[in-house]
Amino acid sequence: MIFSESLKKNQDFQRVYRAADSRANRYLVLYRLENGLSKNRIGISVSKKVGNSVVRHHMCRLIRESYRLNEKSLKPGYDLVVVVRPLAKGRSYREIESALLHLMKLQNLVQELSSENKDEKNLNRND
């Protein structure tokens, strides 16, 4: 991730949970809190209710990849926590990516891309 770091400490997650604005859909919950930095920090939480460690890690990888491919279109300066809901288990990459983008649009995290960036994004997707 070029423009982002990971949230790793429990205290960071707790701060976001307490003070953040949240939105949810069938598969994910997204918490957003301004961090005052020039980059985003993202944390992913997958409970044991979702599945065993293999399933949980797979979900984490799907979300991280969805975020990585779309991070150029996001506004910087936020701490984000993505919580995976049990219904997300067994969903395809496209469904998870769509759910994540839906929540990011609801949270006003998506900025308009110039036509050059749109072309570059489409080329990266086709590789």
Side-chain angles (χ1 to χ4, degrees):
M1 290 185 281
I2 300 169
F3 307 110
S4 305
E5 291 180 355
S6 292
L7 285 179
K8 293 187 178 34
K9 297 187 178 187
N10 184 41
Q11 66 189 22
D12 292 336
F13 277 83
Q14 294 304 319
R15 183 176 47 80
V16 173
Y17 287 138
R18 275 194 293 273
D21 182 28
S22 68
R23 295 284 188 272
N25 59 27
R26 295 177 74 162
Y27 306 128
L28 305 171
V29 180
L30 177 65
Y31 292 86
R32 176 197 70 168
L33 181 67
E34 288 191 44
N35 63 16
L37 303 173
S38 61
K39 57 188 163 190
N40 290 333
R41 299 188 304 175
I42 184 168
I44 301 169
S45 176
V46 187
S47 139
K48 287 185 177 182
K49 292 178 183 177
V50 175
N52 63 23
S53 64
V54 175
V55 172
R56 293 193 311 265
H57 188 66
H58 178 69
M59 296 307 304
C60 188
R61 287 194 320 264
L62 289 179
I63 291 168
R64 195 170 305 280
E65 182 67 5
S66 298
Y67 179 83
R68 185 186 70 82
L69 291 175
N70 292 289
E71 75 177 326
K72 287 183 180 178
S73 65
L74 300 178
K75 297 176 186 175
Y78 293 96
D79 284 346
L80 307 170
V81 174
V82 179
V83 178
V84 179
R85 290 181 156 181
L87 278 176
K89 179 180 176 181
R91 299 293 172 231
S92 70
Y93 168 78
R94 294 287 180 209
E95 289 174 299
I96 297 299
E97 180 184 40
S98 175
L100 185 62
L101 288 174
H102 172 252
L103 292 176
M104 289 181 175
K105 287 176 185 170
L106 288 177
Q107 290 279 28
N108 296 318
L109 291 171
V110 179
Q111 58 189 3
E112 284 298 316
L113 293 176
S114 67
S115 61
E116 292 174 7
N117 288 342
K118 285 181 185 177
D119 293 338
E120 181 180 321
K121 183 177 176 182
N122 287 335
L123 287 175
N124 289 338
R125 286 230 167 159
N126 293 332
D127 291 340

